[in-house]
Amino acid sequence: MPADPILPGAGRYAPSPSGDLHLGNLRTAILAWALARRTGRAFRLRVEDLDRVREGSEQRQLEDLVALGLDWDGEVVRQSARGAAYSEAIAHLEAHSLVFECYCTRREILEAPSAPHAPPGAYPGTCRDLSPAAREQGRQRMRELRREPALRLRALAPVWTVRDLWAGEVTGTVDDLVLRRGDGVVAYNLAVVVDDAAAGVDQVVRADDLLSSAPRQAYLAQLLGVPEPSYAHVPLAVNDEGARLAKRDGAVTLRDRYAQGESVAEVVGRIGDSLGLAGCRTAADVLERWDPAGLPREPWVVQLPG
């Protein structure tokens, strides 16, 4: 990739290497790239490989993005190489008394009574204000279970509000979210905030199943003293039954479509059609013709013959 140009801010695409990208993922990637490029931003690529890594997936994903006509600025960033940055962020929060150990198992959290209006399975704050003696009992229990306590954020705001390019003003609950799991793996919400800030990402385009995460991530950015990005959440791709598109739905990846006799240009054409842009053959066509204000607000129902 070429050296970084001097651009104001950046967009990004951040796939997890757990399998091949399906048509919905590819559509989101094109839109993230197009929105960054049309607003004069750099475009970053990050591989979120802290969990669920399948051998060969990263390389295939990068090849698919290139085949669509996408490019990016700078080197590909891998979360697995950024442990020191995550530890530094946790240390910053600890220094401000915003971290506590949690000794609960997942089952205990699911079975515990939730606070009024909290969603099922929400963390009920069991370990938030334990006495020193109770904390030592919790640590002893973790030693017996041969695991470490999870680290959670001591959230001081019950809700936070963000503005999304398409969804408008969104207010969501801020909970005592996990920062580092009991197995030592840094949690998604912390990692993405730290990584976006480090890469100068001020425009986050992703699927709208993550919209509910935006308020807590923006709040966490504020606690870490880094800028909150702007958000633009793209409606999901779904199957005929309205369920999120997945591999089990059949020939939904780029390589699947190759096997069905389709070219890259035809696949991009499908994506263009979903945006109301007939005749697109490359990502550059989408960039040239797409008006973000006209993005369909409904999920993209993917119908594939063959």
Side-chain angles (χ1 to χ4, degrees):
M1 290 295 136
D4 290 5
I6 300 175
L7 296 174
R12 50 86 156 171
Y13 185 61
S16 298
S18 56
D20 289 355
L21 300 173
H22 61 58
L23 292 174
N25 304 139
L26 298 175
R27 181 184 192 242
T28 300
I30 289 176
L31 294 180
W33 173 83
L35 192 59
R37 294 305 190 205
R38 74 181 294 126
T39 53
R41 288 174 165 86
F43 186 65
R44 311 295 186 193
L45 189 65
R46 180 172 72 238
V47 176
E48 298 192 335
D49 60 347
L50 293 177
D51 228 345
R52 299 178 301 166
V53 174
R54 183 172 297 175
E55 185 177 356
S57 289
E58 177 187 326
Q59 184 60 34
R60 292 194 303 275
Q61 289 179 350
L62 299 185
E63 290 171 356
D64 288 353
L65 296 176
V66 171
L68 295 176
L70 303 189
D71 61 349
W72 51 89
D73 302 294
E75 299 297 324
V76 175
V77 172
R78 294 172 183 83
Q79 288 186 327
S80 57
R82 292 188 43 75
Y86 306 143
S87 295
E88 183 179 345
I90 291 173
H92 172 87
L93 296 170
E94 286 178 325
H96 291 80
S97 301
L98 294 172
V99 178
F100 66 92
E101 293 181 347
C102 178
Y103 316 106
C104 300
T105 65
R106 182 175 299 180
R107 180 176 179 178
E108 288 169 341
I109 293 171
L110 290 174
E111 293 179 349
S114 296
H117 312 299
Y123 180 66
T126 307
C127 301
R128 181 181 172 110
D129 296 309
L130 295 178
S131 67
R135 291 200 181 283
E136 184 51 43
Q137 290 176 352
R139 294 185 186 116
Q140 178 59 36
R141 182 184 180 218
M142 292 294 99
R143 287 190 287 269
E144 293 170 357
L145 294 174
R146 297 183 179 180
R147 53 175 287 187
E148 295 294 321
L151 296 183
R152 287 185 177 271
L153 176 71
R154 185 182 297 275
L156 303 180
V159 297
W160 200 257
T161 300
V162 299
R163 181 153 191 88
D164 184 87
L165 179 62
W166 295 301
E169 193 171 275
V170 176
T171 299
T173 300
V174 174
D175 54 0
D176 292 339
L177 56 92
V178 173
L179 302 171
R180 190 180 68 207
R181 300 183 332 212
D183 60 4
V185 176
V186 172
Y188 168 78
N189 284 307
L190 177 70
V192 297
V193 171
V194 172
D195 291 340
D196 284 344
V201 171
D202 65 346
Q203 181 188 82
V204 172
V205 180
R206 58 191 181 186
D208 65 4
D209 59 330
L210 292 171
L211 179 58
S212 63
S213 297
R216 61 171 62 94
Q217 290 170 10
Y219 173 67
L220 186 53
Q222 186 265 341
L223 293 180
L224 291 171
V226 300
E228 297 178 24
S230 62
Y231 293 96
H233 286 82
V234 179
L236 284 174
V238 299
N239 61 21
D240 289 335
E241 298 176 354
R244 180 205 308 255
L245 195 67
K247 181 69 175 177
R248 61 180 175 272
D249 292 311
V252 295
T253 71
L254 189 58
R255 285 169 172 74
D256 289 337
R257 299 319 302 164
Y258 291 160
Q260 296 294 324
E262 286 189 4
S263 64
V264 174
E266 289 170 321
V267 171
V268 175
R270 287 184 178 278
I271 293 172
D273 289 344
S274 77
L275 302 169
L277 306 174
C280 290
R281 308 293 286 175
T282 69
D285 294 333
V286 177
L287 171 59
E288 180 180 354
R289 299 171 50 195
W290 177 51
D291 177 5
L295 179 76
R297 302 299 197 269
E298 299 300 319
W300 174 30
V301 180
V302 178
Q303 296 177 320
L304 297 172

